[in-house]
Amino acid sequence: MDYERLCQFYERLEETTKRLEMTDILVELLREADGDLRAVVYLTRGQLAADFEGIELGVAEKLVMRALHESTGVSEEDLTKAYHKAGDLGDAAFEVLSQRKARRRQASLFAEENQPQASMPVTEVFERFHEIARSAGAGSQSGKLSLLQKLLARASPREARYLVRTVTGKLRLGIADMTILDAMAAAFATKEYRPDLERAYNVCSDLGLVGETLLKGGLAAVEEMRAQVGVPMRAMLAERLPTPEEILAKMGGEGLCELKYDGLRLQAHIPAQGAIHFYSRRLEDLTRQFPDVAGYLRESFRGREAIVEGEVVAVDPQTGDMKPFQEVAKRRGRKNVEEVIAEVPVTLFLFDCLLLDGEDLTEKPLPERREALTRSFDLARGADEEGLERIQLSRAKRVTTPEEVVAFFEQSVAEGAEGIMVKSVGPDSFYKAGSRGYQWIKYKREYSSELQDSLDLVVVGAIAGRGRRAGWYGALIMASYNPEEDVFETICKLGTGFDDATLQAMTEELKSYQHEGGPHPRVRARIAADAWFAPVKVLEVVGAELTLSPLHTAGWGVLKEEAGLSVRFPRFTGKVRDDKKPEEATTLDEIISMFKQQGHKRVESAEES
Ligand code: AMP
């Protein structure tokens, strides 16, 4: 497939926000891509490989401007003007290349020759992108520049637009992974096999690989795909329920209570030989942040190879007391690892075992997986010099009565946990990769609000600040996720809980997600805003209650005609959930069930919150 052709598909995808239309276009694209399928899947997600490979193009806009300048002769000043006018560097590239094309056409008229541009195959562009990503270190800027310049020199205006968006990380076609899976099923199998594809995706976290396997080996090959050490699995997630009675009823009367640790989830891949790798729940490779944990794991692990999961929590090295999430988050982005190991000591609390010594345990009940953990770790060997065990199993207790749940909960909160997780122990209590279900139910500490849990909401817009906050955003427009339609629906305006420095930093960061000309295609909004953003950033929010609102679109028309739901008195808790993808934000279903649980307290309000 030619890159030009791929870009034509991108244009069509950009023209629609309807999931079904997008799926149809994707089906056509995937079929046409044929042997280039894997590259096409990655590129369409704006990437060069599966997420966990961590391959970033990371080309700065400045460098792209220089490459444009050198390949078109347009001065950087004029380029900056074109950029400001268009608001998007890809569109600016389109403009200047269209002008170049017109000039060339004129020149060739006089010369009475017409040289058609040689087309660029997708595979070639893909390979150049990889080269750009690989060129790091000394002299990397000039290497990147020349690669990019060569690409742009051959590109059509349309190709330039998407080349530029891709290398700057701004190709946002607004296609969810689940839509790509729908399209793969429709393109190469039938819809009924969609769950098989999703299962395969959940174990390998690599859409390109699933597509390629399906194309080359058919469904049989997809069904053969299994968990592997070194290939992160998509995380299993928890539902929530408001009372211990309901939780136990859902679990058939018995469950395993565990502390809900307030840290970062790690999926640890322990190979028979070589380095241990850690992945976040977003499948980012966090290995470099936790070399100390890797060391303690190696010491304490008794098996040959494994995939285990746990929560890494900052602790006080003297007392072993747990510290809140914000502490362990300090390890992110720090270059001097030795220093940060001493500054933020951590303990890993293991709670699951997905694979042990070649055996996939995801389809074994939880008690068996837990037993595998107990069997394969000698925790005393993972102690530090002071004797504090840096690898532990999550504290857990089998419960059968609501009183036991409450007692466990109270003790956990006193120990510094966020709340508890209650997990099913029945014969089908499997590890369901990539899904949120009632096999795991979270029960959190009540905040000082009446809402029984905090919400994880996505920033989709902002209102300019006034007075003291002039010059940066004064409030953010937050949205919950509607997975059925794959859109983000606004639910509140959030201006409380930020200090000035945070708001200022947030304003800077949000600029790079800005979407010109109204809400992003995946955002549904009815209120006015001064800026709109691609749904990327997730923040934790608490609030007083949920009310019906004519201004917000979350659950529009579901509970009442011409009304959505909104959070009253929302407040930012200070937790930026960089570990969550926007699709992992609180969902519409969760919001609706929280609203219903408020029962008698429904207040109808036209008030803006
Ligand atoms: P939430 O982020 O509120 O949806 O809760 C799910 C998260 O809780 C998981 O992704 C883990 O990071 C975290 N967690 C803390 N303790 C546990 C535990 N014992 N079992 C499972 N997850 C836990």
Side-chain angles (χ1 to χ4, degrees):
M1 178 180 260
D2 282 340
Y3 190 64
E4 175 77 26
R5 180 78 183 134
L6 179 59
C7 295
Q8 288 170 4
F9 278 104
Y10 287 169
E11 275 179 359
R12 286 172 59 196
L13 286 164
E14 277 181 337
E15 275 161 21
T16 178
T17 53
K18 297 206 182 79
R19 182 166 175 177
L20 286 180
E21 275 175 28
M22 277 192 179
T23 314
D24 289 343
I25 301 169
L26 280 171
V27 169
E28 220 183 296
L29 166 60
L30 297 178
R31 285 198 178 128
E32 216 176 295
D34 197 42
D36 299 336
L37 182 70
R38 192 161 175 168
V40 165
V41 170
Y42 294 143
L43 287 173
T44 304
R45 295 178 82 241
Q47 286 177 322
L48 298 185
D51 295 334
F52 64 86
E53 309 264 15
I55 300 180
E56 304 258 348
L57 273 158
V59 179
E61 292 191 337
K62 266 219 151 65
L63 200 72
V64 176
M65 299 263 238
R66 274 187 55 200
L68 277 170
H69 161 66
E70 288 179 17
S71 60
T72 61
V74 176
S75 73
E76 290 195 41
E77 208 185 341
D78 287 346
L79 280 168
T80 311
K81 275 191 205 140
Y83 177 21
H84 285 160
K85 191 159 160 248
D88 170 276
L89 197 49
D91 289 342
F94 179 88
E95 278 308 313
V96 296
L97 264 80
S98 302
Q99 289 160 15
R100 176 182 74 179
K101 198 170 160 188
R103 279 199 307 276
R104 275 193 184 160
R105 198 174 294 137
Q106 243 177 0
S108 63
L109 270 183
F110 290 120
E112 288 189 2
E113 60 176 25
N114 213 342
Q115 297 172 331
Q117 296 256 123
S119 62
M120 294 195 283
V122 164
T123 42
E124 192 187 323
V125 174
F126 188 62
E127 189 37 51
R128 290 297 156 273
F129 281 164
H130 271 280
E131 277 175 43
I132 292 176
R134 277 198 300 268
S135 70
S140 70
Q141 294 303 310
S142 63
K144 284 188 175 156
L145 180 66
S146 92
L147 285 161
L148 194 56
Q149 190 195 332
K150 279 184 203 141
L151 274 175
L152 286 169
R154 288 174 57 195
S156 70
R158 183 188 280 126
E159 287 174 321
R161 168 182 280 143
Y162 293 106
L163 280 173
V164 166
R165 287 192 190 157
T166 305
V167 296
T168 52
K170 294 217 167 115
L171 181 81
R172 300 204 178 98
L173 298 170
I175 306 166
D177 291 348
M178 294 302 140
T179 311
I180 300 183
L181 282 173
D182 286 346
M184 276 182 193
F188 308 117
T190 59
K191 277 201 185 129
E192 46 187 298
Y193 292 104
R194 167 68 167 71
D196 297 283
L197 298 189
E198 191 170 336
R199 187 205 64 84
Y201 177 43
N202 288 336
V203 298
C204 74
S205 316
D206 185 341
L207 273 179
L209 179 64
V210 174
E212 192 175 76
T213 309
L214 180 63
L215 187 73
K216 291 191 174 157
L219 275 166
V222 170
E223 277 162 16
E224 284 297 305
M225 291 173 77
R226 289 282 170 272
Q228 265 183 55
V229 178
V231 180
M233 290 177 75
R234 299 184 69 231
M236 174 167 177
L237 301 170
E239 275 289 353
R240 71 183 100 204
L241 280 175
T243 63
E245 286 78 7
E246 283 167 86
I247 294 174
L248 281 175
K250 254 300 192 259
M251 311 228 139
E254 184 172 19
L256 185 74
C257 276
E258 289 179 34
L259 262 76
K260 187 172 190 300
Y261 295 93
D262 190 15
L264 267 183
R265 183 168 184 162
L266 289 187
Q267 193 176 90
H269 287 247
I270 313 176
Q273 269 157 1
I276 292 176
H277 275 259
F278 297 118
Y279 298 97
S280 73
R281 64 188 261 173
R282 292 187 66 159
L283 309 179
E284 277 174 284
D285 192 329
L286 298 185
T287 308
R288 289 174 54 186
Q289 285 184 35
F290 300 102
D292 47 341
V293 180
Y296 294 124
L297 262 184
R298 238 326 150 217
E299 285 300 312
S300 55
F301 183 54
R302 308 277 78 202
R304 189 163 44 81
E305 52 158 18
I307 305 176
V308 291
E309 264 190 359
E311 189 92 348
V312 66
V313 184
V315 291
D316 180 319
Q318 257 79 51
T319 60
D321 287 350
M322 295 188 286
K323 298 186 174 177
F325 169 78
Q326 281 88 334
E327 285 297 311
V328 64
K330 286 184 186 157
R331 285 210 176 189
R332 180 178 276 273
R334 288 279 295 268
K335 292 247 156 52
N336 191 338
V337 181
E338 288 307 318
E339 204 177 275
V340 86
I341 288 176
E343 221 173 280
V344 187
V346 296
T347 293
L348 177 63
F349 294 91
L350 294 172
F351 55 72
D352 220 314
C353 183
L354 316 187
L355 182 144
L356 181 62
D357 297 345
E359 192 189 357
D360 181 345
L361 299 182
T362 54
E363 298 203 347
K364 302 275 186 222
L366 178 64
E368 261 183 68
R369 305 204 302 277
R370 181 103 196 161
E371 207 274 313
L373 276 183
T374 321
R375 182 157 38 96
S376 48
F377 286 89
D378 178 354
L379 303 176
R381 298 178 62 117
D384 62 18
E385 285 160 8
E386 323 287 291
L388 180 66
E389 285 174 3
R390 296 303 191 92
I391 307 295
Q392 297 186 25
L393 298 198
S394 62
R395 197 162 66 71
K397 184 174 188 283
R398 285 267 195 144
V399 292
T400 50
T401 66
E403 291 73 31
E404 285 176 301
V405 176
V406 171
F408 191 90
F409 173 78
E410 275 163 8
Q411 199 191 335
S412 306
V413 171
E415 279 175 41
E418 270 193 299
I420 58 174
M421 286 289 220
V422 190
K423 298 182 179 176
S424 160
V425 289
D428 59 353
S429 55
F430 304 151
Y431 186 93
K432 302 240 169 62
S435 82
R436 187 184 292 285
Y438 285 100
Q439 298 279 3
W440 289 6
I441 300 176
K442 60 189 167 184
Y443 181 60
K444 284 209 218 169
R445 185 202 328 239
E446 284 198 20
Y447 290 83
S448 58
S449 71
E450 292 170 45
L451 277 188
Q452 47 119 353
D453 196 358
S454 56
L455 307 171
D456 295 316
L457 302 175
V458 186
V459 186
V460 297
I463 314 284
R466 282 181 231 123
R468 196 163 47 92
R469 288 178 173 176
W472 62 88
Y473 299 133
L476 305 177
I477 295 174
M478 308 300 296
S480 55
Y481 181 53
N482 174 344
E484 296 277 293
E485 298 183 51
D486 187 35
V487 289
F488 296 85
E489 300 170 321
T490 76
I491 191 162
C492 64
K493 230 157 71 178
L494 179 68
T496 314
F498 301 94
D499 55 37
D500 290 354
T502 311
L503 262 187
Q504 215 165 350
M506 200 85 85
T507 303
E508 269 314 301
E509 191 190 347
L510 285 168
K511 273 187 192 149
S512 69
Y513 307 129
Q514 198 151 341
H515 186 266
E516 300 298 328
H520 185 271
R522 287 175 81 197
V523 172
R524 217 171 256 169
R526 298 173 68 85
I527 52 174
D530 295 313
W532 294 100
F533 310 111
V536 178
K537 195 113 195 111
V538 183
L539 307 183
E540 189 182 74
V541 176
V542 290
E545 63 182 343
L546 291 165
T547 65
L548 290 164
S549 154
L551 294 167
H552 289 284
T553 52
W556 187 255
V558 174
L559 294 158
K560 187 172 178 250
E561 256 180 68
E562 294 296 304
L565 283 166
S566 79
V567 183
R568 278 190 95 198
F569 307 124
R571 180 168 52 80
F572 177 45
T573 62
K575 268 195 198 178
V576 176
R577 299 298 311 253
D578 279 331
D579 58 324
K580 285 199 167 179
K581 288 188 194 174
E583 290 82 8
E584 287 175 306
T586 303
T587 61
L588 177 58
D589 282 351
E590 291 177 286
I591 302 271
I592 289 177
S593 75
M594 284 169 94
F595 180 78
K596 290 189 172 153
Q597 281 155 17
Q598 286 177 184
H600 59 285
K601 288 227 62 146
R602 284 177 208 177
V603 182
E604 228 169 275
S605 150
E607 181 187 345
E608 231 181 285
S609 44

